[in-house]
Structure formats: structure tokens, C-alpha cells
Amino acid sequence: AQAYTYELEEGDVVVLATDGLYDNVFDEQIAQLVQQYAPGSPAAGSPARAAQLAQALASAAHNAARDPNARTPWAVENAAAQGPP
């Protein structure tokens, strides 16, 4: 297990997820979705907006995982580990 300490400020969004998200969706894509669903308005902190964000993240990961041609973090790392053809 790994432990991290971060100082959070009001309005920060913390995304806790499994490798199902992080292996299939790049950090930049996750950040874009967070910005889309939590842009800093008072409604952004509502449970409904959090649920919408969670669904959008899950859908992005699911769609990438089902696409055999998707360029994902896992695919990039796996290709690098195998080396040049």
C-alpha cells in the first residue's frame, strides 16, 4: 500500500479510482472531465454533479477498454515495455 499526503483547498476535486480508470484513461482526459462536471460553480459540489462525473469517468474507461485500437495508458506502457518491434 502507498500513502500520500496532500493539502486540499475548497473547490478541489479528488478522484479515487481503481486501475480500471487509470489504465484506460489518461490523466489529461480525467482532468478535462473534472473541469466539465465540476467547473467551480456552487452546483458543482452537489451529489448529482458528483454522480454525473463518476458516470462520465466510468463510461470513458469502459469505452476505452472495449476498443481494441484505443491508445490507453496501459497500451502505451505495455508497448514501451516490449521495446521496438
Side-chain angles (χ1 to χ4, degrees):
Q2 297 174 334
Y4 299 94
T5 302
Y6 294 97
E7 290 188 30
L8 301 176
E9 297 179 14
E10 186 173 339
D12 284 352
V13 175
V14 178
V15 176
L16 300 177
T18 67
D19 58 349
L21 177 65
Y22 298 115
D23 280 356
N24 290 295
V25 183
F26 286 98
D27 291 346
E28 295 81 12
Q29 295 169 291
I30 294 170
Q32 289 173 350
L33 287 168
V34 168
Q35 287 298 319
Q36 181 179 342
Y37 286 93
S41 69
S46 73
R49 291 297 278 183
Q52 290 171 342
L53 173 58
Q55 183 60 50
L57 292 169
S59 292
H62 178 77
N63 292 339
R66 293 184 51 85
D67 180 355
N69 299 313
R71 183 179 177 274
T72 64
W74 181 87
V76 169
E77 186 176 319
N78 188 47
Q82 291 184 8

